[in-house]
């Protein structure tokens, strides 16, 4: 193989790699990516000295796109951010996280609402971060009777 053929092969291989990485994200991958980004930004907001006082006004939120309560939680979060004091509303990180939540809410509600599968309806887990199953008394009674 001569040098020119090797060079063409290398350029073709690199082009193929770039092409495969440039595929658009699916709805599901975009929702996961946004939820992680929101959680990371909220973590920074809670840790930063500049935004710590504003973070106290925000509701606790642990995002799980497989929880059927996520739309309600995102909507409530947007309501709170709309009604923050102006000194908090104008902070860049607060505006950034608000915009990301708006985008995630739009994707879940409109663009991907048919593609999403909910595995749980534990609304409390979106506030506490505890995603372990909690059985109500009726469900617990059924489990005891089945044994």
């Amino acid at each position: 193989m001569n040098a020119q053929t090797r060079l063409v092969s290398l350029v073709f291989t690199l082009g193929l790699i770039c092409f495969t990485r440039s595929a658009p994200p699916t709805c599901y991958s975009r929702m996961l990516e946004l939820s992680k980004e929101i959680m990371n930004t909220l973590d920074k907001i809670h840790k930063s000295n500049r935004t710590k006082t504003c973070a106290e006004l925000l509701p606790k939120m642990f995002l799980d796109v497989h929880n059927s309560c996520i739309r309600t939680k995102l909507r409530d979060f947007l309501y709170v951010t709309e009604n923050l004091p102006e000194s908090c509303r104008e902070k860049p990180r607060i505006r950034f996280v608000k915009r990301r939540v708006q985008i995630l809410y739009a994707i879940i509600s409109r663009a991907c609402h048919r593609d999403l599968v909910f595995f749980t309806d534990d609304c409390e887990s979106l506030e506490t971060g505890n995603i372990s199953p909690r059985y109500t008394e009726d469900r617990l009674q059924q489990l005891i009777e089945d044994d």
Side-chain angles (χ1 to χ4, degrees):
M1 220 196 279
N2 62 20
Q4 187 177 12
T5 307
R6 288 182 189 167
L7 181 62
V8 170
S9 297
L10 178 66
V11 170
F12 178 75
T13 305
L14 290 175
L16 188 61
I17 291 171
C18 291
F19 177 72
T20 57
R21 289 187 182 167
S22 67
T26 63
C27 276
Y28 181 72
S29 64
R30 183 67 176 137
M31 286 186 294
L32 288 177
E33 178 185 317
L34 270 173
S35 65
K36 287 178 186 175
E37 187 176 343
I38 290 167
M39 292 305 298
N40 288 336
T41 305
L42 282 173
D43 190 46
K44 289 177 186 175
I45 288 172
H46 283 280
K47 290 180 180 177
S48 172
N49 289 332
R50 293 180 183 170
T51 55
K52 214 178 253 191
T53 55
C54 296
E56 294 171 0
L57 302 172
L58 295 174
K60 290 184 179 180
M61 188 164 62
F62 298 92
L63 295 179
D64 176 14
V65 297
H66 299 108
N67 191 323
S68 65
C69 300
I70 190 165
R71 277 185 260 185
T72 306
K73 188 65 177 172
L74 293 174
R75 188 180 60 230
D76 292 349
F77 186 86
L78 288 173
Y79 178 79
V80 170
T81 56
E82 286 290 330
N83 294 302
L84 285 173
E86 193 167 334
S87 59
C88 291
R89 242 183 307 165
E90 298 303 318
K91 297 205 181 281
R93 281 196 179 144
I94 301 289
R95 284 187 299 167
F96 178 79
V97 77
K98 177 185 169 192
R99 183 68 187 132
R100 291 296 181 226
V101 169
Q102 286 173 331
I103 292 169
L104 181 60
Y105 183 77
I107 289 173
I108 289 174
S109 299
R110 296 184 200 124
C112 303
H113 71 279
R114 291 187 182 139
D115 297 339
L116 194 55
V117 176
F118 298 119
F119 295 129
T120 183
D121 61 351
D122 183 12
C123 297
E124 187 179 333
S125 69
L126 295 177
E127 294 175 12
T128 63
N130 184 4
I131 57 172
S132 63
R134 296 178 182 217
Y135 297 117
T136 61
E137 289 181 28
D138 295 336
R139 178 73 177 130
L140 187 58
Q141 186 64 33
Q142 285 179 337
L143 290 172
I144 292 170
E145 290 174 3
D146 289 342
D147 290 339

